[in-house]
């Protein structure tokens, strides 16, 4: 009886108990787990015998990938026998669903007061409900029916990727054609307008990127191609004829000019600190011989970031103005938060092909959502009185938007800009898979050759560019005009004049360089441009370190690795795969119910249902297994490290700095060292994931603990708690909601990294996405796979957020 | 006609929030009951408001939180569209104005001050004040010059280049006031301008406001939920409850002759000397000749002269605007107002 009392006082605990019991009963009913454990023993045996080795080395597979081939370990996704939910189609279901929808609409109509206005008011609802009705009728109901009662054939849901693929092909090639003159065959040919449109976008972007690029590192193609617009082919002919002449190519701006410019700009915008940061970053780029790729990346970012910001603000404003746009855009933004990078690439290569422009398009698509979200958030947070004040001042609509609302929402919009820059540089590496030039591409090459040191230097370049651009843009936005200074022309433009002076000085300097370096063997003018990989490098140092690790630690690591794989990871994976779908649903929906009631249960259930209906359920299970493991380990490490560091002011500062740096670091870099030490195994992937995903929990723990109100701590001290008690009884509970945000971020980071782990060789959703990407791209599959990943993230996100919110309200912190 | 024409004229103005507001209002046939609308998911903001405000007059709108004061103000400035009714600004129909005319009207005739100041955070004091002028298309130089005058007027000289976040609440509201006055509006709307300030500053700002009004003499619609404030400032007071204007009258009449139970409750605790003028307690000059040397004006509030009158054993003569003696006031009467039963007092104000 005591026990029952105990439970009835803790309803949540009871619920959890029930959910777990049901879950385990369902688990044990399948017997799948047993089979998989047998497989594990076989695996363990073969490891001991030394049979398990990756058939192809990482270096080889990288170079294969760069050549658009799939290395064997990626092609061979092990077959998993698993019960797929399957169905066949029938018009009856569509009819039923439409009838239900019609019934709902009629109910709404009958209840409405103003019948004549009903259609006008509810048109959006009608269309969206009709749409949902068709989808449900076509896909969900038959699938569900057959899942429980039907025979095993292909599911309608499985056809969606192919339908989407066909549709996109139709869209590109056949939809709304128009004849276009093709000079090659000297005749008109029919082109789809969509293709012409995407091509126009691509050409424009390419032109912009080239323009910036050639300004920075020389070249003449842009100018010629611009001239071509006015006079057919003659520009190119002229260029080809005069290839060797000095005037056929614009010389690059010497790196000294840009460096001096960075010093001046930094000083002008903020002061000495920023000036030094910007200037020395440029010097780093030049001295380490990464100037050219850095400028290529920069040109790419300088085009993509403004376009993203602009389109982000435009969509944000539209969503603010129109409820309809907002309602359409909100779920898309939500999905974009957890949609994996690679999944963006698939549709991009289909519509835009490969090259710098495609990279730019992918980057823009990837970097715009946070901007939209923050713009919308910022605009919504503007107090209504401020916008009223604007209207009472007699603002027209555009004045209200541009002079009142947007400037008032500035803080949030600036955070958006910051996010855009970070996202652009995060994409710098990934975009190079579809042909973007620059640091990212070189980083991949370095990875390919397993040159850790060089990859590290390149990574630092990317971090520096990100940090400098970020700080410069913030400082620029903070700049204010001064109405009182009554300055002369020279005084007002002194920075510009200074720059002009430096410009000529540096060019002269570069010219002198011709003599200074004339007698060195290679004839490189270091004052003009330090060629790629001709600068100083710290590579030997890192290489020695890695070599040392590999030669001295390898044996120990191998023992650890085998143990981890055989005793922890394999069983864990096996149990995930052995979960019957129904058990997974019971577990996730049950936890959803405990945390957020029936609503959360349904939300999580719907996300899971989508995944269950696709052909990739078991892939998703593997993703979830890796995610779970990585998140648990990251959170444990992160909170512990955070809690220790926060005890000391200097350690706190240091750890935050480390977090910042690691976060901007291109995540690919983490892949090499682990792969050298742990081989092509799940361990490698997981360690890379953990290294990356441990950042948010650490940061949020530090911040959360630091921001516990002083008065509460004092109160604790007064009641005589020990240091440990204070930690566990006061600080942690109060910081809990904030730490949960860190866990949430951790999930997102880990998910991204798990997908990137496909490069090491995994068997999960990420691998499927890679397949789509490298097999030329089935848009439908790419998108659906992306959605699967996104939904895993969103389900976790929903649960964690709801939980944190509840705690917050409980603590009275919200 | 031009002199008599009211500056603001409202004619059965309704504002109802909610989906089917218009339809419901039509069905209700002018008889709006807030509770019924509430059930149907509508909120009544303003319920059948009709009144006029004359040139140079200050109408104070009072009521508890949520009684619809701001909504009324927003209807008259057309920040929201009234659901029904007519509003005339200097004889022109506000409701039928096009956007363009409305903007012109706001740019030239209206100014508004907000409870939370509503300054633009990215602009300095000077830029904030110059903002309405710049929006209008004035040159930056002119606008800044005018803004500087306004800064002097509200006593913020020396802080032109501060940002709103660097100012105290009182100072921020001075900026708000200066901004609303920059275009020299004829009509001045103030929505609880001093509510966010602490009592001392509030008193100071009220004095400042009275001084400004003394100089500028604008037509004012002033919203407050502080009765003392209303009494200090108002020519006439409108008391609102659930969107209905319960009574619109002079301060003295509101206190002495409450028309509804609600207004009576509302004014119950108001000290009489704060609303009554000497006129209401003076007696005709009798045959006595032994007057005090003191003279008081018939329009003075009792509160302000009570001490002097009480300190004088003799009757004090009362003067009208032309300095003619129109009556006398005895200290006994003043004592009666200050300490006696409220209900026995008759008003002739
Ligand atoms: N945009 C709106 N949508 C729906 N209801 C509103 C809206 N604005 C105001 N209301 C409702 O109208 C009623 C009157 O609001 P109003 O802001 O005019 O009150 P108030 O008298 O100014 O109160 P306070 O003293 O708190 O400022 C309130 O019940 C409020 O909830
Ligand atoms: Mg209000």
């Amino acid at each position: 009886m005591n026990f029952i009392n105990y439970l009835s006082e803790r309803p949540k605990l009871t619920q959890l108990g029930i959910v777990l019991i049901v879950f385990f009963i369902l688990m044990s009913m399948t017997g799948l787990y047993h089979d998989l454990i047998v497989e594990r023993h076989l695996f363990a045996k073969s490891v001991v015998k030394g049979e398990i080795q990756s058939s192809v080395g990482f270096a080889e597979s990288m170079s294969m990938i760069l050549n658009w081939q799939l290395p064997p370990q990626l092609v061979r996704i092990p077959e998993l026998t698993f019960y797929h939910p399957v169905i066949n189609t029938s018009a009856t279901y569509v009819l039923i669903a439409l009838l239900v929808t019609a019934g709902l609409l009629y109910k709404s109509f009958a209840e409405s007061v103003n019948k004549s206005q009903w259609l006008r008011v509810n048109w959006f609802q009608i269309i969206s409900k009709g749409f949902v009705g068709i989808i449900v009728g076509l896909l969900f109901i038959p699938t569900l029916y057959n899942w429980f009662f039907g025979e095993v054939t292909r599911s309608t849901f499985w056809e969606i990727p192919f339908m989407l693929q066909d549709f996109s092909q139709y869209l590109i090639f056949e939809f709304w054609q128009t004849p276009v003159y093709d000079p090659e065959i000297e005749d008109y040919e029919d082109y789809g307008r969509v293709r012409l449109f995407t091509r126009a976008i691509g050409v424009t972007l390419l032109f912009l990127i080239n323009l910036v690029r050639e300004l920075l590192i020389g070249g003449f193609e842009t100018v010629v191609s611009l001239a071509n617009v006015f006079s057919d082919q003659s520009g190119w002919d002229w260029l080809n004829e005069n290839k060797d002449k000095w005037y056929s190519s614009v010389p690059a701006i010497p790196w000294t000019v840009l460096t001096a410019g960075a010093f001046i700009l930094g000083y002008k915008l903020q002061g000495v600190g920023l000036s030094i940061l910007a200037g020395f970053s440029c010097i780093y780029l030049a001295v380490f011989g990464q100037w050219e790729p850095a400028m290529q990346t920069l040109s790419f970012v300088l085009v993509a970031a403004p376009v993203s910001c602009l389109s982000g603000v435009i969509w944000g404003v539209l969503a603010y103005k129109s409820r309809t746009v907002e309602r359409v855009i909100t779920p898309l933004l939500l999905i974009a938060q957890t949609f994996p990078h690679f999944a963006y690439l698939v549709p991009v290569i289909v519509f835009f092909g490969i090259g710098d422009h495609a990279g730019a398009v992918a980057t823009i698509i990837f970097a715009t959502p946070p901007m939209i979200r923050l713009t919308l958030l910022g605009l919504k947070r503007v107090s209504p009185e401020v916008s009223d004040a604007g209207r009472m001042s007699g603002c027209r609509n555009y004045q209200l938007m541009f002079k009142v609302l947007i400037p008032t929402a500035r803080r949030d919009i600036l955070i958006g800009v910051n996010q855009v820059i970070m996202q652009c540089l995060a994409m710098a590496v990934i975009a190079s898979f579809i042909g973007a030039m620059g640091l990212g591409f070189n980083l991949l090459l370095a990875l390919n050759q397993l040159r850790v040191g060089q990859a590290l230097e390149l990574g630092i370049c990317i971090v520096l560019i990100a940090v400098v651009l970020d700080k410069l843009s913030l400082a620029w936005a903070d700049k204010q005009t001064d109405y009182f200074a009554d300055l002369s022309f020279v005084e007002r433009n002194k920075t510009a004049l200074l720059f002009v002076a430096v410009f000529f000085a540096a060019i002269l300097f570069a010219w002198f360089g011709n003599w200074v370096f004339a007698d060195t063997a290679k004839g490189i003018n270091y004052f003009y441009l330090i060629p790629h990989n001709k600068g100083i490098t710290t590579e030997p140092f890192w290489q020695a370190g890695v070599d040392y690790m590999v030669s001295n630690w390898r044996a120990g690591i191998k023992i650890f690795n085998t143990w981890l794989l055989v005793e922890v990871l394999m069983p864990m994976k096996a149990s995930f795969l052995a979960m019957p779908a129904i058990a997974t649903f019971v577990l996730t929906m049950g936890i959803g119910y405990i945390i957020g009631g029936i609503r959360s249960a349904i939300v999580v259930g719907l996300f899971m249902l989508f995944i269950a209906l696709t052909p990739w359920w078991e892939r998703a299970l593997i993703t979830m297994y890796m995610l779970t493991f990585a998140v648990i380990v990251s959170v444990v490490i992160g909170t512990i490290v955070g809690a220790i560091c926060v005890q000391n002011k200097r350690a706190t500062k240091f750890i935050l700095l480390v977090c910042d740096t690691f976060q901007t670091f291109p995540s690919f870099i983490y892949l090499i060292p682990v792969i050298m030490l742990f081989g092509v195994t799940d361990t490698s992937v997981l360690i890379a994931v953990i290294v990356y995903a441990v950042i948010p929990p650490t940061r949020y723990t530090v911040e959360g603990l630091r921001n516990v109100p002083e008065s509460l701590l004092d109160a604790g001290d007064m009641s005589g708690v020990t240091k440990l008690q204070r930690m566990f009884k006061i600080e942690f509970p109060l910081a809990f909601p904030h730490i949960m945000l860190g866990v949430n971020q951790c999930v997102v980071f880990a998910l991204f990294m798990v997908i990137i782990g496909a490069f090491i060789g995994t068997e999960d959703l990420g691998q499927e996405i890679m397949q789509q990407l490298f097999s030329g791209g089935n848009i439908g599959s790419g998108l659906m796979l992306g959605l699967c990943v996104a939904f895993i993230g969103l389900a976790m996100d929903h649960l964690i957020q709801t939980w944190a919110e509840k705690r917050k309200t409980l603590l009275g912190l919200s | 006609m031009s002199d008599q024409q009211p500056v603001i004229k409202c004619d059965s103005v309704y504002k109802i929030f909610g989906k089917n507001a218009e339809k419901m209002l039509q069905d209700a046939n002018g008889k709006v009951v807030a509770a019924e609308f509430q059930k149907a998911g509508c909120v009544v903001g303003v319920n059948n408001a009709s009144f006029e405000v004359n040139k140079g007059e200050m109408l104070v709108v009072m009521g508890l939180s949520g009684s619809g004061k701001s909504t009324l103000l927003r209807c008259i400035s057309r920040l929201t569209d009234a659901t029904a009714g007519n509003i005339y600004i200097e004889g022109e129909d506000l409701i039928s104005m096009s956007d363009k005319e409305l903007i012109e009207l706001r740019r030239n005739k209206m100014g508004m001050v907000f409870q939370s100041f509503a300054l633009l955070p990215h602009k300095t004091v000077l830029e904030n004040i110059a903002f309405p002028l710049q929006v209008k298309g004035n040159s930056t130089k002119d606008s800044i010059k005018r803004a500087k005058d306004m800064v002097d007027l509200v006593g913020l000289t020396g802080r032109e280049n501060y940002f709103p976040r660097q100012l105290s609440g009182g100072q921020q509201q001075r900026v708000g006031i200066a901004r609303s006055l920059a275009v020299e509006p004829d009509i001045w709307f103030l929505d609880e301008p001093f509510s966010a300030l602490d009592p001392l500053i509030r008193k100071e700002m009220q004095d400042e406001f009275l001084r400004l009004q003394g100089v500028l003499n604008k037509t004012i619609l002033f919203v407050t939920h502080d009765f003392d404030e209303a009494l200090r400032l108002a020519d006439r007071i409108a008391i609102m409850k659930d969107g209905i204007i319960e009574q619109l009258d002079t301060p003295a009449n509101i206190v002495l002759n409450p028309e509804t139970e609600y207004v009576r409750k509302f004014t119950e605790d108001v000290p009489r000397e704060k609303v009554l003028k000497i006129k209401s307690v003076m007696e005709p000059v009798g045959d006595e000749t032994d007057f005090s040397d003191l003279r008081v004006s018939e329009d003075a509030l009792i509160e302000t002269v009570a001490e002097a009158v009480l300190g004088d054993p003799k009757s004090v003569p009362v003067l009208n605007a032309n300095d003619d003696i129109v009556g006398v006031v005895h200290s006994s009467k003043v004592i009666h107002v200050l300490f006696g039963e409220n209900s026995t007092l008759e008003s002739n104000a």
Side-chain angles (χ1 to χ4, degrees), chain B residues 15-18 38 43-46 62-74 80 115 191-192 223-225 240 243:
Chain B
K15 174 71 199 182
I16 291 161
F17 298 102
Q38 192 108 45
V43 179
V44 180
V46 175
M62 286 221 40
L64 298 177
S65 194
S67 57
K69 310 178 295 288
S70 300
T71 309
L72 179 64
L73 208 67
R74 288 166 56 85
T80 47
Q115 177 173 6
D191 189 354
E192 307 199 27
V223 169
T224 178
H225 57 231
M240 291 186 75

Side-chain angles (χ1 to χ4, degrees), chain B residues 243-263:
Chain B
I244 301 173
I245 298 186
E246 295 270 320
Q247 187 172 2
L248 193 157
D249 220 327
T250 60
N253 264 342
I254 292 239
V255 175
L256 298 175
N257 303 324
E259 276 173 14
T260 65
E261 185 60 22
Y262 181 75
V263 176

Side-chain angles (χ1 to χ4, degrees), chain B residues 121-163:
Chain B
H122 61 289
K123 290 184 182 275
T124 61
V125 167
L126 208 60
E127 288 169 316
N128 258 296
I129 299 175
F131 181 69
L133 298 164
Q134 287 181 326
V135 162
K136 219 167 130 176
N138 291 9
S139 76
T140 307
K141 210 170 158 196
D142 289 350
S143 317
I144 293 291
K145 192 158 162 291
R146 168 92 184 129
K148 269 192 174 158
D149 294 344
M150 299 314 303
V151 169
D152 294 342
L153 182 72
V154 296
L156 279 177
T157 321
R159 293 184 201 271
E160 290 90 345
N161 275 354
Y162 283 44
F163 284 95

Side-chain angles (χ1 to χ4, degrees), chain A residues 385 388 391 394 407 483-484, chain B residues 74 79 107 116 122 127 161:
Chain A
E385 285 207 336
D388 282 352
R391 283 164 71 193
Y483 280 94
F484 289 88
Chain B
R74 288 166 56 85
L79 285 171
R107 285 182 175 181
S116 60
H122 61 289
E127 288 169 316
N161 275 354

Side-chain angles (χ1 to χ4, degrees), chain A residues 676-716:
Chain A
M676 290 172 97
L677 295 174
F678 294 94
V680 183
T681 56
D682 281 2
T683 322
S684 289
V685 180
L686 286 172
I687 288 180
V689 174
I690 289 167
V691 170
Y692 191 56
V694 81
I695 301 168
T698 315
R699 176 203 298 276
Y700 281 76
T701 307
V702 169
E703 285 173 359
L705 289 179
R706 215 171 38 168
N707 294 340
V708 172
E710 203 68 25
S711 56
L712 285 171
L713 295 184
D714 288 347

Side-chain angles (χ1 to χ4, degrees), chain A residues 152-423:
Chain A
V152 177
T153 51
R154 287 174 70 83
S155 128
T156 322
F157 218 76
W158 293 24
E159 301 295 337
I160 296 183
F162 301 99
M163 278 153 51
L164 282 176
Q165 171 71 4
D166 290 347
F167 179 67
S168 70
Q169 292 299 323
Y170 167 76
L171 209 62
I172 297 171
F173 295 111
E174 274 153 54
F175 173 67
W176 202 23
Q177 286 181 335
T178 179
V180 173
Y181 182 75
D182 187 343
E184 302 245 316
I185 53 169
E186 300 191 341
D187 199 1
Y188 285 89
E189 215 184 348
D190 280 349
Y191 274 90
R193 280 196 171 84
V194 174
R195 182 147 71 127
L196 292 176
F197 178 67
T198 55
R199 193 178 282 183
I201 292 180
V203 169
T204 316
L205 282 173
L206 203 56
F207 172 75
L208 287 175
I209 294 172
N210 267 335
L211 184 69
V212 180
R213 187 168 289 174
E214 294 187 356
L215 274 180
L216 292 174
I217 51 176
F220 209 51
E221 294 190 12
T222 330
V223 187
V224 175
S225 65
L226 196 62
N228 262 350
V229 174
F230 303 107
S231 63
D232 282 354
Q233 279 300 101
S234 53
W236 289 117
D237 296 343
W238 178 84
L239 189 69
N240 283 336
E241 280 160 25
N242 298 288
K243 229 175 189 142
D244 317 321
K245 306 276 169 45
W246 64 270
Y247 51 77
S248 67
S249 163
V250 175
I253 300 173
W255 68 269
T256 43
V257 172
L258 240 76
T259 308
F263 270 115
I264 295 172
L265 191 66
Y267 183 74
K268 162 100 180 157
L269 288 179
Q270 201 176 56
V272 182
L274 186 53
S275 164
I276 289 176
L277 177 68
F280 275 95
S281 299
C282 284
I283 291 178
Y284 175 92
L285 297 182
V287 166
F288 277 80
Q290 305 296 356
W291 187 257
E292 273 184 77
M295 289 305 115
Q296 283 173 338
T297 299
L298 188 65
S299 62
F300 178 80
V301 172
L302 285 183
V303 172
V307 174
S308 298
C309 290
L310 203 68
S311 59
V313 168
I314 290 173
W315 282 107
V317 167
L318 285 179
Y320 176 74
K321 288 252 167 194
S322 145
R323 283 281 297 150
T324 316
V325 175
E326 193 193 338
R327 264 190 284 182
V328 173
I329 236 175
T330 312
L332 292 181
L333 290 181
L334 211 66
I335 290 172
Q337 276 181 21
T338 41
F339 205 75
H341 306 56
F342 285 109
Y344 283 102
L345 300 186
V346 182
V348 170
I349 50 173
V350 171
F351 278 97
F352 291 90
I354 291 172
D356 274 311
H357 61 285
V361 170
T363 307
I364 290 166
I365 296 175
F366 185 67
T368 307
M371 191 74 206
I372 302 177
R373 201 168 49 239
L374 283 155
T375 308
L376 184 59
L377 183 80
L379 289 176
K380 279 192 164 172
R381 281 219 289 232
V382 173
S383 105
E385 285 207 336
V386 169
S387 91
D388 282 352
R391 283 164 71 193
M392 282 311 286
S393 301
C395 286
R396 296 182 193 291
N397 276 341
Y398 72 91
Q399 285 174 321
L400 189 68
M401 188 48 78
F402 291 106
K403 296 196 166 170
V404 178
L405 294 177
I406 290 181
T408 308
R410 211 181 99 227
R411 272 254 72 80
D412 289 311
I413 293 179
L414 282 184
I415 297 175
V417 171
N418 169 297
Q419 293 269 311
V420 165
I421 291 175
M422 290 303 167
Q423 302 282 38

